[in-house]
């Protein structure tokens, strides 16, 4: 029979899995408390980094409908729960792991889909959401300009063609 403390911990973790856009499992063996504090700061304000017990977290993930992480719950595990932009948190993890090789990204889940450690590194290589939206807006504006130029070209080409026909008829009419 689970103790009330464990049941409360599982319920809290289940809520975190359900309310997060992404959850990244890491191994933190060899990191100091100061380094963990630095890691929490580098993840951004929309992330929460928690050292967890494997068995309770595995139960919570399964209750939240995430069954793909079961193999990752080995060794000392911590989870980064991301509620905002997952790219920002992935960049924070990647950059921290470069400076501190003791941090190992095991994998995780993004919007219900399991991602490997390599896929999280690829996610970290993406530009931020705001930059991608700005590029999309720029591309759309460029396409609108091209469309406007095309629509403007059709009537002017028609007018030039009609004027050329009129001039040719006038020339032929005057030659007879």
């Amino acid at each position: 029979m689970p103790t009330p403390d464990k049941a409360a911990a599982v319920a809290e973790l289940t809520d975190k899995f359900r309310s997060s856009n992404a959850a990244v499992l890491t191994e933190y063996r060899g990191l100091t408390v100061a380094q963990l504090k630095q890691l929490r700061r580098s993840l951004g304000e929309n992330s929460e980094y928690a050292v967890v017990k494997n068995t309770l977290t595995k139960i919570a993930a399964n209750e939240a409908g995430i069954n793909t992480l079961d193999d990752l719950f080995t060794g000392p595990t911590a989870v980064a729960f991301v509620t905002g932009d997952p790219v920002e948190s992935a960049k924070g993890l990647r950059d921290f792991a470069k400076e501190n090789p003791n941090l190992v990204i095991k994998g995780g889940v993004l919007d219900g889909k399991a991602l490997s450690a390599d896929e999280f590194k690829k996610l970290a290589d993406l530009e931020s959401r705001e930059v991608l939206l700005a590029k999309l807006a720029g591309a759309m504006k460029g396409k609108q300009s091209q469309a406007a130029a095309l629509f403007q070209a059709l009537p002017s080409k028609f007018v030039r063609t009609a004027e050329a026909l009129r001039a040719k008829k006038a020339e032929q009419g005057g030659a007879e």
Side-chain angles (χ1 to χ4, degrees):
M1 213 59 193
T3 64
D5 291 342
K6 288 182 180 179
V10 168
E12 182 181 350
L13 288 169
T14 303
D15 287 342
K16 286 181 183 179
F17 273 113
R18 286 184 178 145
S19 64
S20 299
N21 298 342
V24 185
L25 275 68
T26 64
E27 184 175 318
Y28 62 94
R29 187 186 333 240
L31 294 176
T32 65
V33 173
Q35 288 172 324
L36 287 174
K37 188 175 182 180
Q38 180 187 0
L39 172 60
R40 285 183 174 100
R41 272 190 254 123
S42 71
L43 288 176
E45 56 191 49
N46 295 325
S47 298
E48 181 182 340
Y49 190 74
V51 174
V52 294
K53 289 187 177 249
N54 287 334
T55 54
L56 299 180
T57 309
K58 187 176 181 179
I59 292 168
N62 288 330
E63 284 184 10
I66 302 169
N67 303 323
T68 55
L69 302 177
D70 290 350
D71 296 339
L72 302 178
F73 292 112
T74 57
T77 303
V79 182
F81 294 102
V82 183
T83 55
D85 184 13
V87 174
E88 178 186 352
S89 297
K91 285 181 189 223
L93 280 169
R94 178 200 60 198
D95 295 344
F96 186 85
K98 281 181 184 176
E99 296 173 16
N100 302 285
N102 287 336
L103 180 73
V104 177
I105 299 172
K106 296 179 179 183
V109 64
L110 174 65
D111 292 328
K113 181 184 178 284
L115 294 180
S116 68
D118 291 334
E119 289 171 322
F120 267 105
K121 289 175 186 169
K122 288 178 186 173
L123 181 66
D125 292 337
L126 287 177
E127 292 172 334
S128 71
R129 182 177 189 272
E130 290 78 21
V131 171
L132 291 174
L133 288 173
K135 284 185 176 184
L136 177 65
M140 290 174 71
K141 183 179 178 189
K143 293 297 180 191
Q144 289 175 342
S145 299
Q146 288 175 345
L150 176 68
F151 291 137
Q152 236 177 2
L154 289 174
S156 65
K157 187 174 183 181
F158 175 75
V159 168
R160 283 193 307 269
T161 305
E163 182 60 29
L165 271 171
R166 187 193 59 74
K168 188 174 184 181
K169 283 199 177 206
E171 194 177 286
Q172 286 176 351
E176 292 180 27

Coordinates of all heavy atoms in Angstrom, one line a residue, residues 17-105:
F17 N 3.4 16.3 -15.7 CA 3.5 15.7 -17.0 C 2.3 16.2 -17.9 O 2.5 16.5 -19.1 CB 3.5 14.2 -16.9 CG 4.8 13.6 -16.7 CD1 5.2 12.9 -15.5 CD2 5.8 13.6 -17.7 CE1 6.4 12.3 -15.3 CE2 7.1 13.1 -17.5 CZ 7.4 12.4 -16.3
R18 N 1.1 16.3 -17.3 CA 0.0 16.7 -18.1 C 0.0 18.1 -18.5 O -0.5 18.5 -19.6 CB -1.3 16.4 -17.3 CG -1.6 14.9 -17.3 CD -2.9 14.6 -16.6 NE -3.2 13.2 -16.6 CZ -3.8 12.5 -15.6 NH1 -4.2 13.2 -14.5 NH2 -4.0 11.2 -15.7
S19 N 0.5 19.0 -17.6 CA 0.5 20.4 -17.9 C 1.7 20.9 -18.7 O 1.7 22.1 -19.1 CB 0.3 21.2 -16.6 OG 1.5 21.0 -15.8
S20 N 2.7 20.1 -19.0 CA 3.9 20.5 -19.6 C 3.8 20.2 -21.1 O 3.2 19.2 -21.6 CB 5.1 19.7 -19.1 OG 5.3 19.9 -17.7
N21 N 4.4 21.1 -21.9 CA 4.6 20.9 -23.4 C 5.6 19.8 -23.6 O 5.5 19.1 -24.6 CB 5.0 22.1 -24.1 CG 4.0 23.3 -23.9 OD1 2.9 23.1 -23.6 ND2 4.5 24.5 -24.2
A22 N 6.6 19.8 -22.8 CA 7.7 18.8 -22.9 C 8.3 18.4 -21.6 O 8.1 19.2 -20.6 CB 8.8 19.4 -23.8
A23 N 8.9 17.2 -21.5 CA 9.6 16.8 -20.3 C 10.8 16.1 -20.8 O 10.8 15.2 -21.7 CB 8.7 15.8 -19.5
V24 N 12.0 16.6 -20.3 CA 13.3 16.0 -20.7 C 13.9 15.3 -19.5 O 14.0 15.9 -18.4 CB 14.2 17.2 -21.1 CG1 15.5 16.6 -21.7 CG2 13.5 18.0 -22.2
L25 N 14.2 14.0 -19.7 CA 14.9 13.3 -18.6 C 16.4 13.4 -18.7 O 16.9 13.2 -19.8 CB 14.5 11.8 -18.7 CG 13.1 11.5 -18.0 CD1 12.0 12.1 -18.7 CD2 13.0 10.0 -17.9
T26 N 17.0 13.7 -17.6 CA 18.5 13.8 -17.6 C 19.1 13.0 -16.5 O 18.4 12.6 -15.5 CB 18.9 15.3 -17.4 OG1 18.5 15.7 -16.1 CG2 18.4 16.2 -18.5
E27 N 20.4 12.7 -16.6 CA 21.1 12.1 -15.5 C 22.1 13.2 -15.0 O 22.8 13.8 -15.8 CB 21.9 10.9 -16.0 CG 22.6 10.2 -14.9 CD 23.3 8.9 -15.3 OE1 22.7 8.1 -16.1 OE2 24.4 8.6 -14.9
Y28 N 22.0 13.4 -13.7 CA 22.8 14.5 -13.1 C 23.9 14.1 -12.3 O 24.6 14.9 -11.6 CB 21.8 15.4 -12.3 CG 21.2 14.7 -11.1 CD1 21.8 14.7 -9.9 CD2 20.1 13.9 -11.3 CE1 21.3 14.0 -8.8 CE2 19.6 13.2 -10.2 CZ 20.2 13.3 -9.0 OH 19.6 12.6 -7.9
R29 N 24.3 12.8 -12.3 CA 25.4 12.3 -11.5 C 26.7 13.1 -11.6 O 27.1 13.3 -12.7 CB 25.6 10.8 -11.9 CG 26.6 10.1 -11.0 CD 26.9 8.7 -11.5 NE 25.9 8.1 -12.3 CZ 25.3 6.9 -12.0 NH1 25.6 6.3 -10.9 NH2 24.4 6.4 -12.8
G30 N 27.2 13.5 -10.5 CA 28.5 14.2 -10.5 C 28.3 15.7 -10.5 O 29.3 16.5 -10.5
L31 N 27.1 16.3 -10.6 CA 26.9 17.7 -10.6 C 26.8 18.2 -9.1 O 26.1 17.5 -8.3 CB 25.7 18.1 -11.4 CG 25.7 17.8 -12.9 CD1 24.4 18.2 -13.5 CD2 26.8 18.6 -13.5
T32 N 27.3 19.3 -8.9 CA 27.2 19.9 -7.5 C 25.9 20.6 -7.4 O 25.2 20.9 -8.4 CB 28.3 20.9 -7.3 OG1 28.2 22.0 -8.2 CG2 29.7 20.2 -7.4
V33 N 25.5 21.0 -6.2 CA 24.3 21.7 -5.9 C 24.4 23.1 -6.6 O 23.4 23.5 -7.2 CB 24.1 21.9 -4.4 CG1 22.9 22.8 -4.1 CG2 23.9 20.6 -3.7
A34 N 25.5 23.7 -6.6 CA 25.7 25.0 -7.3 C 25.5 24.9 -8.8 O 24.9 25.7 -9.5 CB 27.1 25.6 -7.0
Q35 N 26.0 23.8 -9.4 CA 25.8 23.5 -10.8 C 24.3 23.3 -11.2 O 23.8 23.7 -12.2 CB 26.7 22.4 -11.3 CG 28.2 22.7 -11.3 CD 29.0 21.5 -11.6 OE1 28.7 20.4 -11.1 NE2 30.1 21.6 -12.3
L36 N 23.6 22.5 -10.3 CA 22.2 22.3 -10.5 C 21.4 23.6 -10.4 O 20.5 23.8 -11.2 CB 21.7 21.3 -9.5 CG 22.1 19.8 -9.7 CD1 21.6 19.0 -8.5 CD2 21.5 19.3 -11.0
K37 N 21.8 24.5 -9.5 CA 21.2 25.8 -9.4 C 21.4 26.6 -10.7 O 20.5 27.2 -11.2 CB 21.7 26.5 -8.2 CG 21.0 27.8 -7.9 CD 21.6 28.4 -6.6 CE 20.8 29.7 -6.2 NZ 21.3 30.2 -5.0
Q38 N 22.6 26.5 -11.2 CA 23.0 27.2 -12.5 C 22.2 26.6 -13.6 O 21.7 27.4 -14.5 CB 24.5 27.1 -12.8 CG 24.9 27.8 -14.0 CD 26.4 27.5 -14.4 OE1 27.1 26.8 -13.6 NE2 26.8 28.0 -15.5
L39 N 22.0 25.3 -13.7 CA 21.2 24.6 -14.7 C 19.8 25.1 -14.7 O 19.2 25.4 -15.7 CB 21.3 23.1 -14.5 CG 20.4 22.3 -15.4 CD1 20.7 22.6 -16.9 CD2 20.5 20.8 -15.1
R40 N 19.2 25.2 -13.5 CA 17.8 25.7 -13.4 C 17.6 27.1 -13.9 O 16.6 27.4 -14.6 CB 17.4 25.6 -11.9 CG 17.1 24.2 -11.4 CD 16.6 24.2 -10.0 NE 16.2 22.9 -9.5 CZ 17.0 22.1 -8.8 NH1 18.2 22.5 -8.4 NH2 16.6 20.9 -8.5
R41 N 18.6 27.9 -13.7 CA 18.6 29.3 -14.2 C 18.7 29.3 -15.8 O 18.1 30.1 -16.5 CB 19.7 30.2 -13.6 CG 19.2 30.8 -12.3 CD 20.2 31.8 -11.8 NE 20.9 31.3 -10.7 CZ 22.2 31.1 -10.6 NH1 23.0 31.5 -11.5 NH2 22.7 30.5 -9.6
S42 N 19.5 28.4 -16.3 CA 19.8 28.4 -17.7 C 18.6 27.8 -18.5 O 18.5 28.0 -19.7 CB 21.1 27.6 -18.1 OG 20.9 26.2 -17.8
L43 N 17.7 27.1 -17.9 CA 16.6 26.5 -18.6 C 15.5 27.6 -18.9 O 14.7 27.3 -19.8 CB 15.9 25.4 -17.8 CG 16.7 24.2 -17.6 CD1 16.0 23.2 -16.7 CD2 16.9 23.5 -19.0
G44 N 15.5 28.7 -18.3 CA 14.5 29.7 -18.6 C 13.4 29.7 -17.5 O 13.3 28.8 -16.7
E45 N 12.6 30.7 -17.6 CA 11.5 30.8 -16.6 C 10.3 29.9 -16.8 O 9.5 29.8 -15.9 CB 11.1 32.3 -16.5 CG 10.6 32.9 -17.8 CD 10.5 34.4 -17.7 OE1 11.4 35.1 -17.2 OE2 9.4 34.9 -18.1
N46 N 10.2 29.4 -18.0 CA 9.1 28.5 -18.3 C 9.4 27.0 -18.1 O 8.7 26.2 -18.6 CB 8.6 28.7 -19.7 CG 8.1 30.1 -19.9 OD1 7.4 30.7 -19.0 ND2 8.3 30.7 -21.1
S47 N 10.4 26.7 -17.3 CA 10.8 25.3 -17.1 C 11.1 25.1 -15.6 O 11.4 26.0 -14.9 CB 12.1 25.0 -17.8 OG 12.0 25.2 -19.2
E48 N 10.8 23.9 -15.2 CA 11.1 23.5 -13.8 C 11.9 22.2 -13.8 O 11.6 21.2 -14.5 CB 9.8 23.2 -13.1 CG 9.9 22.8 -11.6 CD 8.6 22.5 -11.0 OE1 7.6 23.0 -11.5 OE2 8.6 21.8 -9.9
Y49 N 13.0 22.2 -13.2 CA 14.0 21.1 -13.1 C 13.9 20.5 -11.8 O 14.1 21.1 -10.8 CB 15.4 21.6 -13.4 CG 16.4 20.5 -13.7 CD1 16.4 19.8 -14.9 CD2 17.3 20.2 -12.7 CE1 17.3 18.8 -15.1 CE2 18.3 19.2 -12.9 CZ 18.2 18.5 -14.1 OH 19.2 17.5 -14.3
A50 N 13.5 19.2 -11.7 CA 13.3 18.5 -10.5 C 14.0 17.2 -10.4 O 13.9 16.4 -11.4 CB 11.8 18.3 -10.2
V51 N 14.7 16.9 -9.3 CA 15.3 15.6 -9.1 C 14.2 14.7 -8.6 O 13.4 15.1 -7.7 CB 16.5 15.7 -8.1 CG1 17.0 14.3 -7.7 CG2 17.6 16.6 -8.6
V52 N 14.0 13.5 -9.2 CA 12.9 12.7 -8.9 C 13.3 11.3 -8.6 O 14.4 10.8 -8.9 CB 11.9 12.7 -10.1 CG1 11.3 14.1 -10.4 CG2 12.6 12.2 -11.4
K53 N 12.3 10.5 -8.0 CA 12.5 9.1 -7.8 C 12.0 8.4 -9.0 O 10.9 8.6 -9.5 CB 11.8 8.7 -6.5 CG 12.4 9.2 -5.2 CD 11.7 8.6 -4.1 CE 12.3 9.0 -2.8 NZ 13.0 8.0 -2.1
N54 N 12.8 7.4 -9.5 CA 12.4 6.7 -10.7 C 11.1 6.0 -10.7 O 10.3 6.2 -11.6 CB 13.5 5.8 -11.1 CG 14.8 6.5 -11.6 OD1 14.7 7.6 -12.1 ND2 15.9 5.8 -11.5
T55 N 10.9 5.3 -9.6 CA 9.6 4.5 -9.5 C 8.4 5.4 -9.5 O 7.4 5.1 -10.2 CB 9.7 3.5 -8.3 OG1 9.9 4.3 -7.1 CG2 10.7 2.5 -8.5
L56 N 8.5 6.4 -8.7 CA 7.3 7.3 -8.6 C 7.1 8.1 -9.9 O 5.9 8.3 -10.3 CB 7.5 8.3 -7.4 CG 7.6 7.7 -6.0 CD1 7.8 8.8 -5.0 CD2 6.5 6.8 -5.7
T57 N 8.2 8.5 -10.5 CA 8.0 9.2 -11.8 C 7.5 8.3 -12.9 O 6.7 8.8 -13.8 CB 9.4 9.9 -12.2 OG1 9.9 10.6 -11.0 CG2 9.2 10.8 -13.3
K58 N 8.0 7.1 -12.9 CA 7.5 6.2 -13.9 C 6.0 5.9 -13.8 O 5.3 5.9 -14.8 CB 8.3 4.8 -13.8 CG 8.0 3.8 -14.8 CD 8.9 2.6 -14.6 CE 8.7 1.5 -15.6 NZ 9.6 0.4 -15.4
I59 N 5.5 5.8 -12.5 CA 4.1 5.6 -12.3 C 3.3 6.9 -12.7 O 2.3 6.8 -13.4 CB 3.8 5.3 -10.8 CG1 4.4 3.9 -10.4 CG2 2.4 5.4 -10.5 CD1 4.5 3.7 -8.9
A60 N 3.9 8.0 -12.4 CA 3.2 9.3 -12.8 C 3.1 9.5 -14.3 O 2.1 9.9 -14.8 CB 4.0 10.5 -12.1
A61 N 4.2 9.1 -15.0 CA 4.2 9.3 -16.4 C 3.2 8.3 -17.0 O 2.5 8.7 -18.0 CB 5.6 8.9 -17.0
N62 N 3.1 7.1 -16.5 CA 2.1 6.2 -17.1 C 0.7 6.6 -16.8 O -0.2 6.5 -17.6 CB 2.4 4.8 -16.5 CG 3.6 4.1 -17.0 OD1 4.0 4.3 -18.2 ND2 4.2 3.3 -16.2
E63 N 0.5 7.2 -15.6 CA -0.9 7.8 -15.3 C -1.2 9.0 -16.2 O -2.4 9.2 -16.5 CB -0.9 8.2 -13.8 CG -1.1 7.0 -12.9 CD -1.2 7.4 -11.4 OE1 -1.4 8.6 -11.2 OE2 -1.2 6.5 -10.5
A64 N -0.2 9.7 -16.6 CA -0.4 10.8 -17.5 C -0.5 10.4 -19.0 O -0.7 11.2 -19.9 CB 0.7 11.8 -17.4
G65 N -0.4 9.1 -19.2 CA -0.5 8.5 -20.6 C 0.7 8.5 -21.4 O 0.7 8.4 -22.6
I66 N 1.9 8.6 -20.7 CA 3.2 8.6 -21.4 C 3.9 7.3 -21.0 O 4.4 7.1 -19.9 CB 4.0 9.8 -20.9 CG1 3.3 11.1 -21.2 CG2 5.4 9.8 -21.6 CD1 3.9 12.3 -20.6
N67 N 3.8 6.3 -21.9 CA 4.4 5.0 -21.7 C 5.8 4.8 -22.4 O 6.4 3.8 -22.2 CB 3.4 3.9 -22.2 CG 2.1 4.1 -21.5 OD1 2.0 4.4 -20.3 ND2 1.0 3.8 -22.2
T68 N 6.2 5.8 -23.1 CA 7.4 5.6 -23.9 C 8.7 5.9 -23.2 O 9.8 5.7 -23.7 CB 7.4 6.6 -25.1 OG1 7.2 7.9 -24.7 CG2 6.2 6.2 -26.1
L69 N 8.6 6.4 -21.9 CA 9.8 6.7 -21.2 C 10.3 5.7 -20.2 O 11.3 5.9 -19.5 CB 9.5 8.0 -20.4 CG 9.1 9.3 -21.2 CD1 8.8 10.4 -20.2 CD2 10.2 9.7 -22.2
D70 N 9.6 4.6 -20.1 CA 9.9 3.5 -19.1 C 11.4 3.1 -19.1 O 11.9 2.9 -18.0 CB 9.0 2.3 -19.3 CG 7.5 2.6 -18.9 OD1 7.3 3.7 -18.4 OD2 6.7 1.8 -19.2
D71 N 12.0 3.0 -20.2 CA 13.4 2.5 -20.3 C 14.4 3.6 -19.8 O 15.5 3.2 -19.5 CB 13.7 2.1 -21.7 CG 12.9 1.0 -22.2 OD1 12.4 0.2 -21.4 OD2 12.8 0.8 -23.5
L72 N 14.0 4.8 -19.7 CA 14.9 5.9 -19.3 C 15.0 6.1 -17.8 O 15.8 6.9 -17.4 CB 14.4 7.2 -20.0 CG 14.3 7.2 -21.5 CD1 13.8 8.5 -22.0 CD2 15.7 6.8 -22.2
F73 N 14.1 5.4 -17.1 CA 14.2 5.6 -15.6 C 15.2 4.7 -15.0 O 14.8 3.8 -14.2 CB 12.8 5.4 -15.0 CG 11.8 6.5 -15.4 CD1 10.7 6.2 -16.3 CD2 11.9 7.8 -15.0 CE1 9.8 7.1 -16.6 CE2 11.0 8.8 -15.3 CZ 10.0 8.4 -16.2
T74 N 16.5 4.9 -15.2 CA 17.5 4.2 -14.6 C 18.6 5.2 -14.1 O 18.8 6.2 -14.7 CB 18.2 3.2 -15.6 OG1 18.7 4.0 -16.7 CG2 17.2 2.1 -16.1
G75 N 19.2 4.9 -13.0 CA 20.2 5.8 -12.5 C 19.6 7.0 -11.9 O 18.4 7.2 -11.9
P76 N 20.4 7.9 -11.4 CA 19.9 9.2 -10.9 C 19.2 10.0 -12.0 O 19.9 10.3 -13.0 CB 21.1 9.9 -10.3 CG 22.3 9.2 -10.9 CD 21.9 7.9 -11.3
T77 N 18.0 10.3 -11.8 CA 17.2 11.0 -12.8 C 16.6 12.3 -12.3 O 16.2 12.4 -11.2 CB 16.0 10.1 -13.3 OG1 16.6 8.8 -13.7 CG2 15.3 10.7 -14.4
A78 N 16.7 13.3 -13.2 CA 16.0 14.6 -13.0 C 15.2 14.9 -14.2 O 15.6 14.5 -15.3 CB 17.0 15.7 -12.7
V79 N 14.1 15.6 -14.1 CA 13.2 15.9 -15.2 C 13.1 17.4 -15.3 O 12.8 18.1 -14.3 CB 11.8 15.3 -15.0 CG1 10.9 15.6 -16.2 CG2 11.9 13.8 -14.8
A80 N 13.2 17.9 -16.5 CA 12.9 19.3 -16.8 C 11.5 19.4 -17.4 O 11.3 18.8 -18.5 CB 13.9 19.9 -17.8
F81 N 10.6 19.9 -16.7 CA 9.2 20.1 -17.1 C 9.1 21.4 -17.8 O 9.4 22.5 -17.2 CB 8.2 20.0 -16.0 CG 8.1 18.6 -15.3 CD1 8.8 18.4 -14.1 CD2 7.4 17.6 -15.9 CE1 8.7 17.2 -13.5 CE2 7.4 16.4 -15.3 CZ 8.0 16.1 -14.1
V82 N 8.8 21.5 -19.1 CA 8.8 22.7 -19.9 C 7.3 23.1 -20.2 O 6.6 22.3 -20.8 CB 9.5 22.5 -21.2 CG1 9.6 23.8 -22.0 CG2 10.9 22.0 -20.9
T83 N 6.9 24.3 -19.7 CA 5.6 24.8 -20.0 C 5.5 25.8 -21.1 O 4.5 26.1 -21.6 CB 4.9 25.3 -18.7 OG1 5.8 26.3 -18.2 CG2 4.7 24.2 -17.7
G84 N 6.7 26.4 -21.4 CA 6.8 27.4 -22.5 C 7.4 26.9 -23.7 O 7.1 25.8 -24.2
D85 N 8.3 27.7 -24.3 CA 9.0 27.3 -25.5 C 10.0 26.2 -25.3 O 11.0 26.4 -24.6 CB 9.7 28.6 -26.1 CG 10.3 28.3 -27.4 OD1 10.0 27.3 -28.1 OD2 11.1 29.2 -27.9
P86 N 9.8 25.0 -25.9 CA 10.7 23.9 -25.6 C 12.1 24.1 -26.2 O 13.0 23.6 -25.8 CB 10.0 22.7 -26.2 CG 8.9 23.2 -27.1 CD 8.6 24.6 -26.7
V87 N 12.1 25.0 -27.3 CA 13.4 25.2 -27.9 C 14.4 26.0 -27.0 O 15.5 25.6 -26.8 CB 13.2 26.0 -29.2 CG1 14.6 26.4 -29.8 CG2 12.4 25.2 -30.2
E88 N 13.8 26.9 -26.2 CA 14.6 27.7 -25.3 C 15.2 26.8 -24.2 O 16.4 26.8 -23.9 CB 13.8 28.8 -24.6 CG 14.5 29.6 -23.6 CD 13.5 30.5 -22.8 OE1 12.4 30.7 -23.2 OE2 14.0 31.1 -21.8
S89 N 14.4 25.9 -23.7 CA 14.9 24.9 -22.6 C 15.9 23.9 -23.2 O 16.8 23.6 -22.6 CB 13.7 24.2 -22.0 OG 12.8 25.1 -21.4
A90 N 15.6 23.5 -24.4 CA 16.5 22.5 -25.1 C 17.9 23.2 -25.3 O 18.9 22.5 -25.1 CB 15.9 22.0 -26.4
K91 N 17.9 24.5 -25.7 CA 19.1 25.2 -25.8 C 19.9 25.3 -24.5 O 21.1 25.2 -24.4 CB 18.9 26.6 -26.4 CG 18.6 26.5 -27.9 CD 18.3 27.9 -28.4 CE 17.8 27.8 -29.8 NZ 18.4 28.7 -30.8
G92 N 19.1 25.6 -23.4 CA 19.7 25.7 -22.1 C 20.3 24.4 -21.7 O 21.5 24.4 -21.1
L93 N 19.7 23.3 -21.9 CA 20.2 22.0 -21.5 C 21.5 21.7 -22.4 O 22.5 21.2 -21.9 CB 19.2 20.9 -21.7 CG 18.1 20.7 -20.7 CD1 17.0 19.8 -21.1 CD2 18.8 20.2 -19.4
R94 N 21.4 21.9 -23.7 CA 22.5 21.7 -24.6 C 23.7 22.5 -24.2 O 24.8 21.9 -24.0 CB 22.1 22.0 -26.0 CG 23.3 21.7 -27.0 CD 23.1 22.4 -28.3 NE 23.0 23.9 -28.1 CZ 22.5 24.7 -28.9 NH1 22.1 24.3 -30.1 NH2 22.5 26.0 -28.7
D95 N 23.5 23.8 -23.9 CA 24.7 24.6 -23.6 C 25.3 24.2 -22.3 O 26.5 24.2 -22.1 CB 24.2 26.1 -23.6 CG 23.8 26.6 -25.0 OD1 24.2 25.9 -26.0 OD2 23.2 27.6 -25.1
F96 N 24.4 23.9 -21.3 CA 24.9 23.5 -20.0 C 25.7 22.2 -20.1 O 26.7 22.0 -19.4 CB 23.8 23.4 -19.0 CG 24.2 23.1 -17.6 CD1 24.6 24.2 -16.7 CD2 24.3 21.8 -17.1 CE1 25.0 23.9 -15.4 CE2 24.8 21.6 -15.8 CZ 25.1 22.6 -15.0
A97 N 25.2 21.3 -20.9 CA 25.8 19.9 -21.0 C 27.2 20.1 -21.7 O 28.1 19.3 -21.5 CB 24.9 19.0 -21.8
K98 N 27.3 21.1 -22.6 CA 28.6 21.3 -23.2 C 29.7 21.7 -22.2 O 30.8 21.3 -22.2 CB 28.5 22.4 -24.3 CG 27.9 21.9 -25.6 CD 27.9 23.1 -26.6 CE 27.2 22.7 -27.9 NZ 27.1 23.8 -28.8
E99 N 29.3 22.6 -21.2 CA 30.2 23.0 -20.2 C 30.4 22.0 -19.1 O 31.4 22.0 -18.4 CB 29.7 24.3 -19.6 CG 29.6 25.5 -20.6 CD 28.9 26.7 -20.0 OE1 28.8 26.8 -18.8 OE2 28.6 27.6 -20.8
N100 N 29.3 21.2 -18.9 CA 29.3 20.2 -17.8 C 29.0 18.8 -18.3 O 27.8 18.5 -18.4 CB 28.3 20.6 -16.7 CG 28.6 22.0 -16.1 OD1 29.5 22.1 -15.3 ND2 27.8 22.9 -16.5
P101 N 30.0 18.1 -18.7 CA 29.7 16.8 -19.4 C 29.1 15.7 -18.4 O 28.6 14.7 -18.9 CB 31.1 16.3 -19.8 CG 32.1 17.2 -19.2 CD 31.4 18.4 -18.7
N102 N 29.0 16.0 -17.1 CA 28.3 15.1 -16.2 C 26.8 15.1 -16.4 O 26.1 14.2 -16.0 CB 28.6 15.5 -14.8 CG 30.0 15.1 -14.4 OD1 30.6 14.2 -15.0 ND2 30.5 15.8 -13.4
L103 N 26.2 16.2 -17.1 CA 24.8 16.2 -17.4 C 24.6 15.4 -18.6 O 25.1 15.7 -19.7 CB 24.3 17.6 -17.6 CG 22.8 17.7 -17.9 CD1 22.0 17.4 -16.6 CD2 22.5 19.0 -18.4
V104 N 23.8 14.3 -18.5 CA 23.5 13.5 -19.7 C 22.0 13.6 -20.0 O 21.2 13.3 -19.1 CB 23.9 12.0 -19.4 CG1 23.5 11.1 -20.6 CG2 25.4 11.9 -19.1
I105 N 21.7 14.0 -21.2 CA 20.3 14.0 -21.6 C 19.9 12.6 -22.1 O 20.5 12.1 -23.0 CB 20.1 15.1 -22.8 CG1 20.4 16.5 -22.3 CG2 18.6 15.0 -23.3 CD1 20.5 17.5 -23.3

